[in-house]
Amino acid sequence: MTPELMIKACSFYTGHLVKTHFCTWRDIAHTNENVVLAEKMNRAVTCYNFRLQKSVFHHWHSYMEDQKEKIKNMLLRIQQIIYCHKLTIILTKWRNTARHKSKKKEDELILKHELQLKKWKNRLILKRAAAEESNFPERSSSEVSLVDETLKCDISLLPERAILQIFFYLSLKDVIICGQVNHAWMLMTQLNSLWNAIDFSSVKNVIPDKYIVSTLQRWRLNVLRLNFRGCLLRPKTFRSVSHCRNLQELNVSDCPTFTDESMRHISEGCPGVLCLNLSNTTITNRTMRLLPRHFHNLQNLSLAYCRRFTDKGLQYLNLGNGCHKLIYLDLSGCTQISVQGFRYISNSCTGIMHLTINDMPTLTDNCVKALVEKCSRITSLVFTGAPHISDCTFRALSACKLRKIRFEGNKRVTDASFKFIDKNYPNLSHIYMADCKGITDSSLRSLSPLKQLTVLNLANCVRIGDMGLKQFLDGPASIKIRELNLSNCVRLSDASVMKLSERCPNLNYLSLRNCEHLTAQGIGYIVNIFSLVSIDLSGTDISNEAFCKSSLILEHLDVSYCSQLSDMIIKALAIYCINLTSLSIAGCPKITDSAMEMLSAKCHYLHILDISGCVLLTDQILEDLQIGCKQLRILKMQYCTNISKKAAQRMSSKVQQQEYNTNDPPRWFGYDREGNPVTELDNITSSKGALELTVKKSTYSSEDQAA
């Protein structure tokens, strides 16, 4: 074998061997790739299936959670429905029970009313029969026995404290008369404590100066308070006041004979005076000089309508010890005071807390600014009859801690004054803004955050409506509000009264006079205000007595000029409101004698009664009032055409003040002398003015009748 063949054979063998092994390796490698790829595919499928299951499970879990939440909400809703159903059942039973008890109570009241009325009529019959038998001689023995019985009750046997409490209710004239009964009564009227306060104003027309001097001389060590208001006395009489060394309060207002000389004697003898009223007297700067010199502890001073002192007199208040303890100051009607005068007051009386300035047309914003420069303790402020006061005054008063503020008849005070009232005056409790035309609903919205507000008077603020009152009542101020006067706020409607009944649980005094948009339905919401003591609904559209049924503590009611009212309201008052002390049903032509008989039989505490324009009433009601309403003090009977003059004269001796005439009712009353409606109503304003003039001319009191 040749080398070439050998090489060729080796090459062939090597190539065949390589080819064989490469094919084997290729087959093996290809087989491994398929296995790996299969494994990868398996893993990929497994992963995909896992993710798919996870996604499905997640959706299933969310679905189940939603279903659980729905089931939970459904169960809660079912529970609420069951709870509401239970509450409905309970409330229904409670309502039925309450209605049953209310009906039972109402029936008991009506039954009690009927029994009392029957008893009243029987007593009335017996009294009339006794009056007819009083002319027989055998009556004298019973009278003697009656006198003997009354003598058994001896008031002098009571404790001294009880006797004093009884005599404190009497006037000076009555005390003098009681002292003339007998020796025991004279001793009772000579108790020292009874003469601590002497009111000569009640007897100013009958008591002589000589008696005043002797009284002051006798009780000079006991007298603490003296009232000479309106007394026309000699200077010597005023001089005798100086003997009362312990005098603390002195009122000489409206005394035309009181002079600076009288004041000099009093100031020298009575240095302990705390309260001094010099209103409407002729004092000058001489008296103003005496005040800081002698009255070092003076706290209350009234200089109202004293127009003879000047700014220089106010400067004297800073002399000596000054009037730095002055707390109350009244400068009403002192139009002669300028800005400088108020600056003098600010310098000398820095402790003033209560300031009253009425009927002051010369008062301006600059005067108030000068006053509050140093008087930062003012808490009560009264500005009535000051038309030039504006919003600037409110900004100046922000330095004071006001609690009570009163503005009346001012057209320059606007909503801007109330914009920051809750921040500047957070402690305001009394606000009187009557007849301020610039006040709108925005002001009420600003007042709503005042938490201490108890009295709000917005009478004649005609721009106030339902929206403003709603915003006010939605605030915290409505919880404590006790007195609310919305007279002549003509934009108010039934929605306001409904809101009042919901938000004012402590309301005691409410006036809705002449709110012409109120209806009987709206006024019916008043039944939900159980705390009312006084209601004024005159001039409104009332046709029923529903609002009386819950007012068991009602004392004052005015439903005058509500022509739709009938005897039913008087019956309701007699049943539910037996504590009435003041009632006005003037201009109600449907009221009859039977209703007034029920009123006389039940309302024994009645002090004031106005039946003017009740044309169907006769003399019979006066007899009933004399028997049933023994505490009646003021009786008005204008335009009562069926009440005779003779009966009115008899009644005048039983009351302190009486107004009576038999003229036809004015046309603006809306009916004639027989109670029939009048179709033509013109010149209402002028007729009303004529009515007031007629009332003044026709008024007479029991004293006039006695004269």
Side-chain angles (χ1 to χ4, degrees):
M1 176 178 291
T2 60
E4 293 176 356
L5 290 173
M6 192 67 177
I7 292 170
K8 187 175 181 179
C10 288
S11 298
F12 176 81
Y13 178 77
T14 303
H16 178 74
L17 185 64
V18 170
K19 182 178 179 181
T20 303
H21 284 80
F22 177 76
C23 290
T24 304
W25 173 81
R26 186 181 60 186
D27 294 338
I28 294 171
H30 184 70
T31 303
N32 291 336
E33 281 186 13
N34 291 335
V35 172
V36 171
L37 183 61
E39 291 179 356
K40 287 183 178 180
M41 286 298 294
N42 291 332
R43 286 198 300 269
V45 170
T46 303
C47 182
Y48 174 76
N49 291 333
F50 177 77
R51 289 182 178 180
L52 184 62
Q53 290 176 358
K54 186 177 180 180
S55 176
V56 171
F57 179 78
H58 178 71
H59 287 291
W60 174 83
H61 180 73
S62 300
Y63 172 77
M64 292 304 297
E65 290 293 330
D66 292 341
Q67 291 297 319
K68 287 181 180 180
E69 190 69 24
K70 288 181 180 180
I71 293 173
K72 185 178 179 180
N73 292 335
M74 194 179 298
L75 290 174
L76 289 175
R77 180 61 180 166
I78 292 173
Q79 291 177 357
Q80 289 178 356
I81 292 173
I82 295 173
Y83 181 70
C84 290
H85 182 66
K86 288 182 179 179
L87 285 180
T88 304
I89 295 174
I90 294 172
L91 289 175
T92 303
K93 291 183 179 180
W94 174 83
R95 183 183 60 186
N96 294 334
T97 305
R99 285 180 176 178
H100 177 70
K101 288 185 177 181
S102 177
K103 181 65 175 175
K104 184 178 178 181
K105 185 177 180 180
E106 186 175 347
D107 293 340
E108 290 176 355
L109 286 174
I110 293 174
L111 181 61
K112 184 179 178 181
H113 165 74
E114 292 176 351
L115 292 175
Q116 290 178 346
L117 189 61
K118 186 177 180 180
K119 185 177 178 181
W120 159 267
K121 291 181 178 180
N122 293 334
R123 192 176 70 174
L124 201 60
I125 293 172
L126 292 175
K127 284 195 174 184
R128 289 175 181 172
E132 293 176 357
E133 295 176 359
S134 61
N135 297 326
F136 294 95
E138 57 270 14
R139 180 64 180 173
S140 59
S141 60
S142 62
E143 290 178 355
V144 173
S145 63
L146 183 61
V147 172
D148 294 337
E149 289 178 1
T150 56
L151 289 176
K152 293 180 181 179
C153 181
D154 190 356
I155 191 176
S156 61
L157 300 178
L158 295 174
E160 181 178 331
R161 183 177 178 183
I163 295 174
L164 287 174
Q165 190 66 28
I166 293 172
F167 279 94
F168 278 150
Y169 289 102
L170 303 181
S171 64
L172 179 61
K173 181 180 178 181
D174 296 331
V175 172
I176 296 172
I177 294 174
C178 290
Q180 298 173 354
V181 174
N182 53 38
H183 183 70
W185 282 61
M186 183 185 69
L187 294 177
M188 286 188 294
T189 58
Q190 292 180 356
L191 295 173
N192 293 336
S193 301
L194 190 60
W195 297 92
N196 287 342
I198 305 178
D199 185 6
F200 290 108
S201 63
S202 60
V203 291
K204 59 186 176 183
N205 296 323
V206 294
I207 192 169
D209 289 20
K210 182 179 178 180
Y211 180 81
I212 295 177
V213 174
S214 63
T215 302
L216 294 178
Q217 182 66 26
R218 181 174 182 180
W219 304 104
R220 61 186 182 276
L221 299 179
N222 302 100
V223 175
L224 300 178
R225 297 180 291 276
L226 279 177
N227 185 3
F228 291 104
R229 181 180 178 87
C231 295
L232 186 62
L233 306 176
R234 294 178 299 177
K236 183 179 178 181
T237 306
F238 284 118
R239 198 177 306 165
S240 63
V241 178
S242 61
H243 299 301
C244 304
R245 299 289 181 177
N246 298 320
L247 188 65
Q248 296 180 2
E249 297 181 15
L250 177 62
N251 186 350
V252 291
S253 58
D254 300 322
C255 294
T257 56
F258 189 82
T259 60
D260 294 331
E261 189 65 20
S262 304
M263 191 69 237
R264 183 180 68 83
H265 290 286
I266 295 174
S267 61
E268 291 175 355
C270 309
V273 171
L274 301 177
C275 302
L276 183 60
N277 191 340
L278 302 173
S279 302
N280 200 18
T281 56
T282 57
I283 63 166
T284 63
N285 291 342
R286 289 180 57 194
T287 295
M288 303 298 289
R289 186 191 292 267
L290 295 172
L291 296 179
R293 184 177 299 176
H294 297 281
F295 301 134
H296 305 308
N297 297 318
L298 189 63
Q299 296 180 0
N300 291 15
L301 176 62
S302 177
L303 300 172
Y305 306 101
C306 297
R307 295 190 172 93
R308 294 197 177 186
F309 70 88
T310 61
D311 291 344
K312 189 174 182 180
L314 296 174
Q315 188 179 9
Y316 291 151
L317 295 178
N318 204 22
L319 296 177
N321 293 327
C323 294
H324 300 296
K325 294 184 179 181
L326 200 63
I327 297 176
Y328 173 85
L329 180 61
D330 188 351
L331 298 174
S332 301
C334 299
T335 54
Q336 75 277 14
I337 302 177
S338 64
V339 177
Q340 187 60 36
F342 282 100
R343 191 167 285 112
Y344 289 146
I345 296 174
S346 177
N347 294 330
S348 57
C349 307
T350 56
I352 292 178
M353 299 179 65
H354 309 283
L355 181 64
T356 302
I357 307 179
N358 298 328
D359 299 329
M360 194 85 159
T362 58
L363 188 68
T364 61
D365 295 333
N366 293 329
C367 296
V368 180
K369 290 178 181 178
L371 182 65
V372 300
E373 284 180 357
K374 297 182 179 180
C375 297
S376 58
R377 298 175 61 186
I378 296 177
T379 60
S380 176
L381 194 62
V382 179
F383 288 153
T384 61
H388 299 295
I389 295 296
S390 66
D391 298 334
C392 298
T393 295
F394 271 83
R395 287 194 291 270
L397 291 171
S398 60
C400 305
K401 298 179 180 180
L402 287 180
R403 293 181 179 272
K404 298 181 181 180
I405 189 168
R406 181 168 186 166
F407 284 76
E408 289 186 11
N410 193 299
K411 298 181 180 179
R412 301 185 64 186
V413 175
T414 64
D415 294 336
S417 301
F418 299 90
K419 190 173 183 180
F420 302 105
I421 194 169
D422 58 322
K423 297 180 180 178
N424 295 334
Y425 317 109
N427 297 319
L428 266 179
S429 60
H430 292 64
I431 299 179
Y432 299 85
M433 288 293 173
D435 201 19
C436 293
K437 310 298 183 183
I439 295 178
T440 65
D441 291 344
S442 178
S443 298
L444 280 178
R445 183 170 61 252
S446 303
L447 293 176
S448 61
L450 296 177
K451 297 181 180 180
Q452 305 298 327
L453 190 62
T454 57
V455 177
L456 179 61
N457 188 335
L458 298 174
N460 298 326
C461 295
V462 295
R463 300 177 65 184
I464 290 176
D466 291 334
M467 183 57 66
L469 188 61
K470 179 182 180 300
Q471 292 172 342
F472 169 74
L473 295 176
D474 285 336
S478 62
I479 304 300
K480 287 191 175 182
I481 196 78
R482 296 184 180 275
E483 181 177 340
L484 185 60
N485 190 340
L486 300 172
S487 300
N488 296 314
C489 295
V490 293
R491 296 188 179 184
L492 298 180
S493 65
D494 295 345
S496 297
V497 184
M498 182 176 66
K499 195 69 176 178
L500 278 172
S501 64
E502 295 174 354
R503 298 286 300 170
C504 300
N506 299 313
L507 191 63
N508 296 140
Y509 302 90
L510 175 63
S511 177
L512 298 172
R513 175 187 291 263
N514 296 330
C515 293
E516 55 189 22
H517 292 299
L518 295 181
T519 64
Q521 181 182 1
I523 294 175
Y525 290 115
I526 296 178
V527 74
N528 298 322
I529 309 177
F530 301 101
S531 58
L532 281 177
V533 177
S534 175
I535 308 176
D536 187 351
L537 298 174
S538 58
T540 56
D541 184 17
I542 309 175
S543 58
N544 58 62
E545 69 287 349
F547 68 93
C548 300
K549 294 186 177 180
S550 65
S551 305
L552 301 179
I553 61 173
L554 190 65
E555 296 181 5
H556 308 277
L557 177 63
D558 190 345
V559 288
S560 53
Y561 310 111
C562 299
S563 56
Q564 301 298 323
L565 290 180
S566 61
D567 290 349
M568 295 303 297
I569 186 172
I570 304 297
K571 182 178 179 181
L573 291 175
I575 296 174
Y576 302 103
C577 307
I578 60 175
N579 295 320
L580 268 182
T581 60
S582 175
L583 175 63
S584 177
I585 51 175
C588 299
K590 297 181 180 180
I591 305 296
T592 63
D593 288 350
S594 60
M596 297 305 297
E597 183 182 12
M598 287 188 287
L599 186 73
S600 303
K602 296 296 293 293
C603 300
H604 303 301
Y605 305 106
L606 202 60
H607 292 168
I608 303 173
L609 178 61
D610 188 355
I611 54 174
S612 301
C614 296
V615 293
L616 299 181
L617 300 181
T618 63
D619 296 348
Q620 180 61 41
I621 68 154
L622 299 184
E623 297 180 9
D624 296 335
L625 290 174
Q626 290 182 30
I627 299 173
C629 302
K630 295 184 181 298
Q631 299 186 26
L632 192 63
R633 298 292 179 266
I634 300 176
L635 178 61
K636 299 180 181 181
M637 300 183 293
Q638 301 289 338
Y639 315 112
C640 293
T641 55
N642 289 324
I643 296 179
S644 64
K645 185 175 181 180
K646 185 178 180 181
Q649 288 177 348
R650 287 198 304 267
M651 189 66 187
S652 64
S653 61
K654 306 293 183 181
V655 295
Q656 294 179 357
Q657 181 181 344
Q658 179 173 296
E659 298 177 4
Y660 166 76
N661 67 35
T662 56
N663 298 336
D664 291 343
R667 298 184 65 84
W668 60 271
F669 268 47
Y671 54 89
D672 56 15
R673 63 182 295 120
E674 296 179 355
N676 299 321
V678 177
T679 54
E680 297 180 0
L681 292 175
D682 50 355
N683 299 327
I684 293 179
T685 306
S686 60
S687 299
K688 192 171 183 179
L691 167 65
E692 295 173 355
L693 182 60
T694 305
V695 168
K696 291 181 180 179
K697 289 183 178 180
S698 61
T699 301
Y700 61 85
S701 63
S702 57
E703 295 180 358
D704 297 332
Q705 289 298 314

